[in-house]
Short mmCIF file of all heavy atoms in Angstrom, two decimals:
data_model
loop_
_atom_site.label_atom_id
_atom_site.label_comp_id
_atom_site.label_asym_id
_atom_site.label_seq_id
_atom_site.Cartn_x
_atom_site.Cartn_y
_atom_site.Cartn_z
N HIS A 1184 -169.60 -147.76 26.99
CA HIS A 1184 -169.63 -146.30 27.10
C HIS A 1184 -170.48 -145.73 25.96
O HIS A 1184 -170.47 -146.26 24.84
CB HIS A 1184 -168.21 -145.75 27.02
CG HIS A 1184 -168.10 -144.29 27.38
ND1 HIS A 1184 -168.46 -143.80 28.60
CD2 HIS A 1184 -167.68 -143.22 26.65
CE1 HIS A 1184 -168.25 -142.51 28.64
NE2 HIS A 1184 -167.79 -142.12 27.46
N PRO A 1185 -171.25 -144.66 26.22
CA PRO A 1185 -172.09 -144.09 25.15
C PRO A 1185 -171.27 -143.64 23.95
O PRO A 1185 -170.10 -143.27 24.07
CB PRO A 1185 -172.77 -142.90 25.84
CG PRO A 1185 -172.71 -143.20 27.29
CD PRO A 1185 -171.44 -143.97 27.49
N THR A 1186 -171.92 -143.65 22.81
CA THR A 1186 -171.30 -143.24 21.55
C THR A 1186 -172.14 -142.15 20.91
O THR A 1186 -173.38 -142.22 20.92
CB THR A 1186 -171.16 -144.44 20.59
OG1 THR A 1186 -170.41 -145.47 21.24
CG2 THR A 1186 -170.42 -144.03 19.32
N ALA A 1187 -171.48 -141.16 20.36
CA ALA A 1187 -172.18 -140.05 19.71
C ALA A 1187 -171.33 -139.56 18.54
O ALA A 1187 -170.12 -139.82 18.46
CB ALA A 1187 -172.44 -138.91 20.69
N ASP A 1188 -171.99 -138.87 17.63
CA ASP A 1188 -171.29 -138.33 16.47
C ASP A 1188 -170.40 -137.16 16.90
O ASP A 1188 -170.70 -136.43 17.87
CB ASP A 1188 -172.27 -137.85 15.41
CG ASP A 1188 -173.09 -139.01 14.84
OD1 ASP A 1188 -172.59 -140.15 14.88
OD2 ASP A 1188 -174.23 -138.75 14.39
N LEU A 1189 -169.32 -137.00 16.18
CA LEU A 1189 -168.43 -135.88 16.47
C LEU A 1189 -169.09 -134.56 16.10
O LEU A 1189 -169.90 -134.51 15.16
CB LEU A 1189 -167.11 -136.04 15.70
CG LEU A 1189 -166.24 -137.24 16.08
CD1 LEU A 1189 -165.01 -137.29 15.17
CD2 LEU A 1189 -165.82 -137.17 17.53
N PRO A 1190 -168.80 -133.51 16.82
CA PRO A 1190 -169.38 -132.21 16.46
C PRO A 1190 -168.92 -131.77 15.09
O PRO A 1190 -167.82 -132.12 14.63
CB PRO A 1190 -168.87 -131.27 17.55
CG PRO A 1190 -167.67 -131.95 18.11
CD PRO A 1190 -167.91 -133.41 17.99
N ARG A 1191 -169.78 -131.02 14.43
CA ARG A 1191 -169.46 -130.57 13.08
C ARG A 1191 -168.21 -129.69 13.11
O ARG A 1191 -168.07 -128.81 13.94
CB ARG A 1191 -170.63 -129.78 12.49
CG ARG A 1191 -170.45 -129.42 11.00
CD ARG A 1191 -171.74 -128.80 10.48
NE ARG A 1191 -172.06 -127.55 11.16
CZ ARG A 1191 -171.62 -126.36 10.74
NH1 ARG A 1191 -170.87 -126.28 9.64
NH2 ARG A 1191 -171.95 -125.26 11.39
N GLN A 1192 -167.32 -129.99 12.21
CA GLN A 1192 -166.07 -129.26 12.15
C GLN A 1192 -166.28 -127.93 11.44
O GLN A 1192 -166.62 -127.87 10.27
CB GLN A 1192 -165.01 -130.08 11.41
CG GLN A 1192 -163.63 -129.44 11.42
CD GLN A 1192 -162.59 -130.34 10.78
OE1 GLN A 1192 -162.91 -131.42 10.26
NE2 GLN A 1192 -161.34 -129.93 10.82
N GLY A 1193 -166.11 -126.86 12.19
CA GLY A 1193 -166.24 -125.53 11.62
C GLY A 1193 -164.95 -125.05 11.04
O GLY A 1193 -164.17 -124.36 11.70
N GLY A 1194 -164.69 -125.42 9.84
CA GLY A 1194 -163.42 -125.06 9.23
C GLY A 1194 -163.30 -123.60 8.88
O GLY A 1194 -162.21 -123.11 8.62
N ASP A 1195 -164.47 -122.89 8.85
CA ASP A 1195 -164.41 -121.49 8.47
C ASP A 1195 -164.36 -120.55 9.67
O ASP A 1195 -164.39 -119.33 9.50
CB ASP A 1195 -165.63 -121.13 7.61
CG ASP A 1195 -165.59 -121.89 6.30
OD1 ASP A 1195 -164.48 -122.25 5.86
OD2 ASP A 1195 -166.67 -122.13 5.72
N GLY A 1196 -164.32 -121.13 10.91
CA GLY A 1196 -164.22 -120.28 12.08
C GLY A 1196 -162.76 -119.95 12.39
O GLY A 1196 -161.97 -120.85 12.70
N LYS A 1197 -162.40 -118.69 12.31
CA LYS A 1197 -161.02 -118.27 12.52
C LYS A 1197 -160.99 -117.13 13.51
O LYS A 1197 -161.74 -116.16 13.39
CB LYS A 1197 -160.39 -117.83 11.19
CG LYS A 1197 -160.34 -118.93 10.14
CD LYS A 1197 -159.74 -118.43 8.84
CE LYS A 1197 -159.71 -119.51 7.78
NZ LYS A 1197 -159.13 -119.04 6.49
N LEU A 1198 -160.13 -117.26 14.51
CA LEU A 1198 -159.98 -116.23 15.53
C LEU A 1198 -158.72 -115.41 15.26
O LEU A 1198 -157.69 -115.95 14.86
CB LEU A 1198 -159.90 -116.85 16.93
CG LEU A 1198 -161.15 -117.59 17.42
CD1 LEU A 1198 -160.92 -118.14 18.81
CD2 LEU A 1198 -162.37 -116.67 17.38
N ALA A 1199 -158.85 -114.13 15.51
CA ALA A 1199 -157.71 -113.21 15.35
C ALA A 1199 -157.78 -112.18 16.47
O ALA A 1199 -158.86 -111.84 16.96
CB ALA A 1199 -157.75 -112.52 13.99
N VAL A 1200 -156.62 -111.71 16.89
CA VAL A 1200 -156.53 -110.72 17.95
C VAL A 1200 -156.82 -109.34 17.36
O VAL A 1200 -156.18 -108.93 16.38
CB VAL A 1200 -155.15 -110.76 18.63
CG1 VAL A 1200 -155.05 -109.68 19.70
CG2 VAL A 1200 -154.90 -112.14 19.23
N LEU A 1201 -157.76 -108.62 17.98
CA LEU A 1201 -158.15 -107.30 17.48
C LEU A 1201 -157.54 -106.16 18.27
O LEU A 1201 -157.46 -105.04 17.76
CB LEU A 1201 -159.68 -107.16 17.49
CG LEU A 1201 -160.46 -108.22 16.69
CD1 LEU A 1201 -161.95 -107.95 16.80
CD2 LEU A 1201 -160.01 -108.25 15.23
N ALA A 1202 -157.15 -106.39 19.52
CA ALA A 1202 -156.61 -105.32 20.36
C ALA A 1202 -155.31 -105.78 21.00
O ALA A 1202 -154.93 -106.96 20.92
CB ALA A 1202 -157.62 -104.91 21.44
N THR A 1203 -154.63 -104.85 21.62
CA THR A 1203 -153.33 -105.16 22.23
C THR A 1203 -153.52 -106.07 23.43
O THR A 1203 -154.40 -105.84 24.28
CB THR A 1203 -152.63 -103.86 22.67
OG1 THR A 1203 -152.53 -103.00 21.54
CG2 THR A 1203 -151.26 -104.16 23.22
N THR A 1204 -152.71 -107.09 23.50
CA THR A 1204 -152.77 -108.01 24.64
C THR A 1204 -152.07 -107.39 25.84
O THR A 1204 -151.03 -106.74 25.69
CB THR A 1204 -152.09 -109.34 24.26
OG1 THR A 1204 -152.67 -109.84 23.04
CG2 THR A 1204 -152.27 -110.37 25.35
N ARG A 1205 -152.62 -107.61 27.02
CA ARG A 1205 -152.02 -107.05 28.23
C ARG A 1205 -152.21 -108.04 29.38
O ARG A 1205 -153.10 -108.89 29.36
CB ARG A 1205 -152.63 -105.71 28.58
CG ARG A 1205 -154.12 -105.74 28.88
CD ARG A 1205 -154.69 -104.36 29.10
NE ARG A 1205 -156.09 -104.37 29.46
CZ ARG A 1205 -157.08 -104.46 28.59
NH1 ARG A 1205 -156.82 -104.53 27.29
NH2 ARG A 1205 -158.34 -104.47 29.01
N LEU A 1206 -151.36 -107.86 30.38
CA LEU A 1206 -151.43 -108.65 31.60
C LEU A 1206 -151.97 -107.77 32.72
O LEU A 1206 -151.44 -106.69 32.98
CB LEU A 1206 -150.05 -109.20 31.99
CG LEU A 1206 -149.46 -110.27 31.07
CD1 LEU A 1206 -148.02 -110.56 31.45
CD2 LEU A 1206 -150.28 -111.55 31.13
N GLU A 1207 -153.02 -108.24 33.38
CA GLU A 1207 -153.64 -107.48 34.46
C GLU A 1207 -153.47 -108.23 35.77
O GLU A 1207 -153.40 -109.46 35.80
CB GLU A 1207 -155.12 -107.26 34.18
CG GLU A 1207 -155.39 -106.35 33.00
CD GLU A 1207 -156.87 -106.07 32.82
OE1 GLU A 1207 -157.68 -106.68 33.57
OE2 GLU A 1207 -157.23 -105.26 31.94
N GLY A 1208 -153.43 -107.46 36.85
CA GLY A 1208 -153.28 -108.04 38.18
C GLY A 1208 -152.03 -107.52 38.87
O GLY A 1208 -151.11 -107.01 38.23
N ASP A 1209 -152.00 -107.63 40.18
CA ASP A 1209 -150.88 -107.19 40.99
C ASP A 1209 -150.39 -108.35 41.84
O ASP A 1209 -151.12 -109.31 42.11
CB ASP A 1209 -151.27 -106.01 41.89
CG ASP A 1209 -151.69 -104.78 41.08
OD1 ASP A 1209 -151.08 -104.59 40.01
OD2 ASP A 1209 -152.61 -104.07 41.51
N SER A 1210 -149.15 -108.20 42.28
CA SER A 1210 -148.56 -109.21 43.15
C SER A 1210 -148.97 -108.94 44.59
O SER A 1210 -149.06 -107.79 45.02
CB SER A 1210 -147.04 -109.19 43.02
OG SER A 1210 -146.64 -109.50 41.70
N SER A 1211 -149.20 -109.98 45.34
CA SER A 1211 -149.56 -109.86 46.75
C SER A 1211 -148.32 -109.92 47.62
O SER A 1211 -147.19 -110.10 47.15
CB SER A 1211 -150.54 -110.98 47.13
OG SER A 1211 -149.92 -112.25 46.96
N LEU A 1212 -148.54 -109.76 48.93
CA LEU A 1212 -147.42 -109.84 49.87
C LEU A 1212 -146.80 -111.23 49.88
O LEU A 1212 -145.59 -111.37 50.09
CB LEU A 1212 -147.91 -109.46 51.28
CG LEU A 1212 -146.86 -109.43 52.39
CD1 LEU A 1212 -145.78 -108.40 52.08
CD2 LEU A 1212 -147.50 -109.14 53.74
N LEU A 1213 -147.62 -112.25 49.66
CA LEU A 1213 -147.08 -113.62 49.64
C LEU A 1213 -146.12 -113.82 48.48
O LEU A 1213 -145.19 -114.62 48.57
CB LEU A 1213 -148.23 -114.62 49.58
CG LEU A 1213 -149.17 -114.65 50.79
CD1 LEU A 1213 -150.28 -115.66 50.56
CD2 LEU A 1213 -148.40 -114.96 52.06
N THR A 1214 -146.36 -113.13 47.36
CA THR A 1214 -145.44 -113.24 46.23
C THR A 1214 -144.05 -112.72 46.61
O THR A 1214 -143.04 -113.22 46.11
CB THR A 1214 -145.99 -112.47 45.03
OG1 THR A 1214 -147.32 -112.92 44.76
CG2 THR A 1214 -145.15 -112.68 43.79
N TRP A 1215 -144.00 -111.71 47.49
CA TRP A 1215 -142.72 -111.18 47.94
C TRP A 1215 -141.94 -112.21 48.75
O TRP A 1215 -140.73 -112.12 48.86
CB TRP A 1215 -142.97 -109.93 48.78
CG TRP A 1215 -141.78 -109.03 48.90
CD1 TRP A 1215 -141.20 -108.33 47.90
CD2 TRP A 1215 -141.04 -108.74 50.08
NE1 TRP A 1215 -140.12 -107.62 48.38
CE2 TRP A 1215 -140.00 -107.85 49.73
CE3 TRP A 1215 -141.15 -109.15 51.41
CZ2 TRP A 1215 -139.08 -107.36 50.64
CZ3 TRP A 1215 -140.24 -108.66 52.32
CH2 TRP A 1215 -139.22 -107.77 51.94
N PHE A 1216 -142.67 -113.22 49.26
CA PHE A 1216 -142.03 -114.29 50.03
C PHE A 1216 -141.98 -115.60 49.24
O PHE A 1216 -141.82 -116.66 49.83
CB PHE A 1216 -142.77 -114.51 51.35
CG PHE A 1216 -142.53 -113.42 52.36
CD1 PHE A 1216 -143.41 -112.36 52.46
CD2 PHE A 1216 -141.41 -113.45 53.18
CE1 PHE A 1216 -143.18 -111.35 53.39
CE2 PHE A 1216 -141.18 -112.45 54.11
CZ PHE A 1216 -142.07 -111.39 54.22
N GLY A 1217 -142.12 -115.55 47.92
CA GLY A 1217 -141.91 -116.73 47.08
C GLY A 1217 -143.16 -117.41 46.59
O GLY A 1217 -143.06 -118.49 45.97
N ALA A 1218 -144.35 -116.86 46.80
CA ALA A 1218 -145.57 -117.48 46.28
C ALA A 1218 -145.61 -117.37 44.76
O ALA A 1218 -144.96 -116.48 44.17
CB ALA A 1218 -146.80 -116.80 46.89
N PRO A 1219 -146.31 -118.26 44.07
CA PRO A 1219 -146.35 -118.22 42.60
C PRO A 1219 -146.94 -116.92 42.07
O PRO A 1219 -148.07 -116.56 42.46
CB PRO A 1219 -147.23 -119.42 42.23
CG PRO A 1219 -147.17 -120.32 43.41
CD PRO A 1219 -147.03 -119.43 44.61
N PRO A 1220 -146.25 -116.19 41.21
CA PRO A 1220 -146.84 -114.98 40.60
C PRO A 1220 -147.98 -115.35 39.66
O PRO A 1220 -147.89 -116.34 38.93
CB PRO A 1220 -145.66 -114.35 39.84
CG PRO A 1220 -144.43 -115.02 40.37
CD PRO A 1220 -144.84 -116.38 40.80
N ALA A 1221 -149.04 -114.56 39.69
CA ALA A 1221 -150.23 -114.84 38.88
C ALA A 1221 -150.72 -113.55 38.24
O ALA A 1221 -150.65 -112.48 38.85
CB ALA A 1221 -151.33 -115.49 39.72
N ARG A 1222 -151.21 -113.67 37.01
CA ARG A 1222 -151.78 -112.55 36.26
C ARG A 1222 -152.95 -113.07 35.43
O ARG A 1222 -153.22 -114.27 35.37
CB ARG A 1222 -150.73 -111.91 35.33
CG ARG A 1222 -149.58 -111.20 36.03
CD ARG A 1222 -150.04 -109.92 36.69
NE ARG A 1222 -148.90 -109.15 37.17
CZ ARG A 1222 -148.32 -109.34 38.35
NH1 ARG A 1222 -148.78 -110.30 39.15
NH2 ARG A 1222 -147.31 -108.59 38.74
N ARG A 1223 -153.63 -112.14 34.78
CA ARG A 1223 -154.70 -112.46 33.83
C ARG A 1223 -154.32 -111.91 32.47
O ARG A 1223 -154.03 -110.71 32.33
CB ARG A 1223 -156.03 -111.87 34.28
CG ARG A 1223 -156.55 -112.41 35.58
CD ARG A 1223 -157.99 -111.93 35.85
NE ARG A 1223 -158.12 -110.48 35.66
CZ ARG A 1223 -157.86 -109.59 36.59
NH1 ARG A 1223 -157.44 -109.96 37.79
NH2 ARG A 1223 -158.03 -108.30 36.35
N LEU A 1224 -154.30 -112.80 31.48
CA LEU A 1224 -154.02 -112.39 30.11
C LEU A 1224 -155.32 -111.93 29.47
O LEU A 1224 -156.25 -112.73 29.29
CB LEU A 1224 -153.39 -113.54 29.33
CG LEU A 1224 -152.95 -113.23 27.90
CD1 LEU A 1224 -151.83 -112.20 27.89
CD2 LEU A 1224 -152.51 -114.49 27.18
N VAL A 1225 -155.41 -110.66 29.15
CA VAL A 1225 -156.64 -110.06 28.63
C VAL A 1225 -156.42 -109.67 27.17
O VAL A 1225 -155.42 -109.02 26.84
CB VAL A 1225 -157.05 -108.83 29.46
CG1 VAL A 1225 -158.33 -108.22 28.92
CG2 VAL A 1225 -157.21 -109.20 30.93
N LEU A 1226 -157.32 -110.09 26.31
CA LEU A 1226 -157.24 -109.77 24.90
C LEU A 1226 -158.64 -109.77 24.29
O LEU A 1226 -159.58 -110.34 24.86
CB LEU A 1226 -156.35 -110.75 24.15
CG LEU A 1226 -156.85 -112.19 24.02
CD1 LEU A 1226 -156.20 -112.85 22.82
CD2 LEU A 1226 -156.55 -113.01 25.27
#
Side-chain angles (χ1 to χ4, degrees):
H1184 191 61
T1186 303
D1188 295 335
L1189 295 177
R1191 188 173 63 90
Q1192 186 175 4
D1195 295 334
K1197 299 179 181 179
L1198 296 180
V1200 177
L1201 303 180
T1203 304
T1204 307
R1205 62 185 183 277
L1206 291 171
E1207 293 184 355
D1209 297 325
S1210 298
S1211 62
L1212 182 61
L1213 296 178
T1214 306
W1215 201 66
F1216 287 94
R1222 293 289 189 275
R1223 297 189 312 274
L1224 184 65
V1225 180
L1226 68 156

